[in-house]
Amino acid sequence: MTMTTSPTLLRADGITRSYHGAAVVKDVTLGIREGESVVILGPSGAGKSTMLRCLAGLEPVQTGEISFRGTRFAAAGEQPKPLRGEIGMVFQQFNLFPHMTALENVTLAPRRVRGIPAAQAEAEARDLLVKVGLAEKVDHYPFELSGGQQQRVAIARALAMRPAVMLFDEPTSALDPEFTREVLEVMRALAAEGMTIVVVTHEMGFARRSADRVVFMDAGQIIEEGPTEETFDRPRHARTQHFLAQILAH
Amino acid sequence: MSFLDYVFSATFFQSAGITLALTVVSMVLGIVGGLLLGLVKTSSVAPARWLANGYIWLFRGTPVLLQLIFVFNVLPGWGLRFSPFTCAVIALSMNEAAYMAEIIRAGLLSVDRGQRTAAHMLGLSERQILRWVVLPQAARVILPPTGNQFIGMLKTSALASVVAVQDLLLSAQRIAAANFDYVNTLVAAAIHYLVLTTLFTLAVNAVERRLDVTRRASARRKGPLTPPVMPATTGGN
């Protein structure tokens, strides 16, 4: 379901992110509309993750600005203003808090940032852990969980702040193949219920089935973007064609 | 008199209490100071880092005995008059802070950056990140060397005897000076020190076990648990 009419939630305008003078993201403009699921594709080193981190407000930008619901929170030459969990993020390495159980991981931010009473936060966290299929694991520590289970706890943890958009930075790249599917299922369900998601991934199957729109990046720039099917079936740009041919060949 | 008579004498128990109090108070203040210095050392404000480095350079680069005598003899001239015990606490804790700063800094740096990033994205403030995410994990790294420092402090506290703090060593020396029974008085003091260091070691081990999530996990479910290969980290290092 492509929602061309829904309002823009997150918008990057001409952003550049460079390290020691070398631009990793170059003059990128991208808008994410409410309810949309966008997958960012491209070869390694294309700047996809860095771009996502910019959208999350985790990286200062050297040019351009980024706004959330029309309010600018990052601009050239200043540290991004911290948001209060409105943008949820899921990382390649999960980054669960190892000294806390699954439940404690999920309740920490609602309790400390939103001041939600413990009992209520726990009830909501249990619901979220049920939703990601981990009803049995609420009292487990991260080291007792498989990679797929850890990543699902991480998704529940981000959802607990009721974010308006969820950013996924290669969420299955650190997983053994048998655990990839369970994480993608959860993400697909989220997209289906209308959550706005932006995903950097190499999972072409997921992109094809779950994305409303794909964005193809190379060498720090957006080369091509468009509705999923159209872009997959009739890529306009030579580099997109080359990338898709290579990755779909095996 | 045998050394046992000294060991169980009221004088030795009192002075062991003074040694213990001096150690604990100096160590607690040293840890607080070390935490502040450690945080400053890992901060992004360069002048603050220089200040912290200067402090550490000064207090690690000069003998603690010199610092102690300085506090005792020089501060009164500046109008700062303290009891011998307070002088000893000031010198020992300021010296300890310099060492704890390095230990705490190493602990803070041992926590994966991804932990802060994840907490930041959840909306936690810098202080909340430190309190709920970074320090509990850094504690596992900080604790073992801090236990060593504690035991070191117990023995270093004997230096306070030179500024007339009635600690174990000074008591032993005073009794020996009166009756020349050096062997038994010093052995009795050594026994008190050994008992204290042993108790400290046991206490540190107990705290270490409490911070071990693998034990917490098995205790919570009271079931047998296969030991994990990598406790307390979730990859990504």
Side-chain angles (χ1 to χ4, degrees), chain A residues 149-186:
Chain A
Q149 291 168 338
Q150 289 189 52
Q151 193 59 300
R152 286 185 282 149
V153 173
I155 293 172
R157 179 178 68 174
L159 289 173
M161 289 302 280
R162 302 175 190 272
V165 52
M166 288 277 283
L167 309 180
F168 294 84
D169 185 12
E170 304 208 25
T172 58
S173 296
L175 295 178
D176 292 331
E178 70 258 41
F179 299 129
T180 300
R181 215 179 54 124
E182 64 193 46
V183 171
L184 294 178
E185 291 289 336
V186 170

Side-chain angles (χ1 to χ4, degrees), chain A residues 84 96-97 99 112 141 144, chain B residues 115 123 128 132 216 221:
Chain A
R84 282 279 171 252
L96 287 183
F97 307 131
H99 57 299
R112 303 297 160 197
Y141 285 90
E144 301 171 279
Chain B
Q115 294 286 308
Q128 288 175 319
W132 299 103
R216 278 211 307 247
R221 270 183 306 286

